[in-house]
Amino acid sequence: MARPRAAAVRVQLALWFIVLAGLLAPAAHAQSVALAGMLGSKALLVVNGGAPKSVAPGESHQGVKVVSTAGDQAVLELSGKRHTVRVGDAPVSVGAGGGTGGGAGKGNRIVLTAGTGGHFFTPGQINGRAVQFVVDTGATSIAMSAADAERAGVNYKGGQPVQMSTANGVTQGFRVKLGSVRVGDVEVYDVDAVVMPQGMAHMLLGNSFLTRFQMIRENDQMTLVKRF
């Protein structure tokens, strides 16, 4: 009787590895690129949420070629297609199916690569406006400063007032509901967030967004697979 049971265990393990491979394999084909800035004629690219990299025209970085630059914009070539992007624009995304991120949240997978200090930075959108996130699994919800909320067009003063503890004591913040939050070609809706009056170094991508996904961490890469 032991042999059939051992065989069943081997089959279950094999199926598990197949499922896991299916989750991880497409990550190599999905790509998100944002233009973080310009250094002279070089484009400062953020690929898959990684550390910014300066790339000169004619050169490539992680499969993204800079064709040309002018002012605050650059022409990039991804998967054989050219895209014109400006500094601060939402990221251009090419998914496993070869489509760009122009569709409204049709993807279900986000691939992030750790940057400086092991943090996962990624460009994104709130209600269609470009923002920059840092993943924070210790944050209950998306968190941002009042200045960041205003830049993103969030009407936080119409939200629910809440008392918040900070290093400088107790202060009043606001709890709000974001209509949509997008990272790469994945978009989710009705996401809780808090807005704090004091400045913040980064906008936090917290668990009100992250819990919508299954999280897979492998070395310096994080894959978020949308739950259905």
Side-chain angles (χ1 to χ4, degrees):
M1 296 297 293
R3 289 184 178 177
R5 179 174 297 177
V9 170
R10 286 196 295 271
V11 170
Q12 288 177 348
L13 287 174
L15 289 173
W16 165 247
F17 284 123
I18 290 171
V19 171
L20 184 59
L23 289 174
L24 292 177
H29 304 288
Q31 200 166 38
S32 173
V33 184
L35 185 61
M38 303 295 294
L39 294 176
S41 63
K42 294 184 177 181
L44 197 59
L45 302 183
V46 176
V47 180
N48 293 336
K53 173 72 173 180
S54 60
V55 184
E59 296 180 349
S60 299
H61 173 58
Q62 295 187 20
V64 180
K65 181 178 180 180
V66 177
V67 178
S68 63
T69 61
D72 66 343
Q73 68 181 29
V75 177
L76 309 178
E77 187 173 298
L78 296 79
S79 299
K81 295 183 179 180
R82 294 190 176 187
H83 307 267
T84 300
V85 296
R86 291 181 179 274
V87 175
D89 278 356
V92 173
S93 300
V94 176
T100 65
K106 294 180 180 178
N108 62 0
R109 183 186 306 273
I110 300 168
V111 181
L112 305 175
T113 302
T116 305
H119 298 294
F120 291 91
F121 295 93
T122 178
Q125 296 179 45
I126 291 178
N127 299 337
R129 297 201 182 188
V131 299
Q132 187 76 16
F133 290 116
V134 60
V135 174
D136 188 345
T137 56
T140 303
S141 64
I142 288 177
M144 68 190 80
S145 67
D148 284 337
E150 290 173 359
R151 281 191 289 269
V154 177
N155 180 24
Y156 67 93
K157 292 181 180 178
Q160 176 188 357
V162 292
Q163 296 297 312
M164 310 185 71
S165 297
T166 68
N168 298 320
V170 177
T171 185
Q172 179 176 289
F174 295 88
R175 190 183 308 279
V176 297
K177 184 79 73 173
L178 304 177
S180 69
V181 178
R182 181 184 178 116
V183 176
D185 60 352
V186 183
E187 190 168 17
V188 296
Y189 304 94
D190 297 326
V191 184
D192 289 329
V194 292
V195 179
M196 308 181 203
Q198 71 271 26
M200 296 174 59
H202 305 287
M203 188 179 296
L204 306 183
L205 189 64
N207 287 321
S208 59
F209 180 87
L210 298 175
T211 53
R212 310 279 187 98
F213 299 83
Q214 177 187 1
M215 186 180 298
I216 302 168
R217 177 75 183 269
E218 186 176 71
N219 299 323
D220 64 346
Q221 190 173 82
M222 178 186 293
T223 302
L224 303 175
V225 182
K226 193 175 182 181
R227 300 178 189 275
F228 293 98

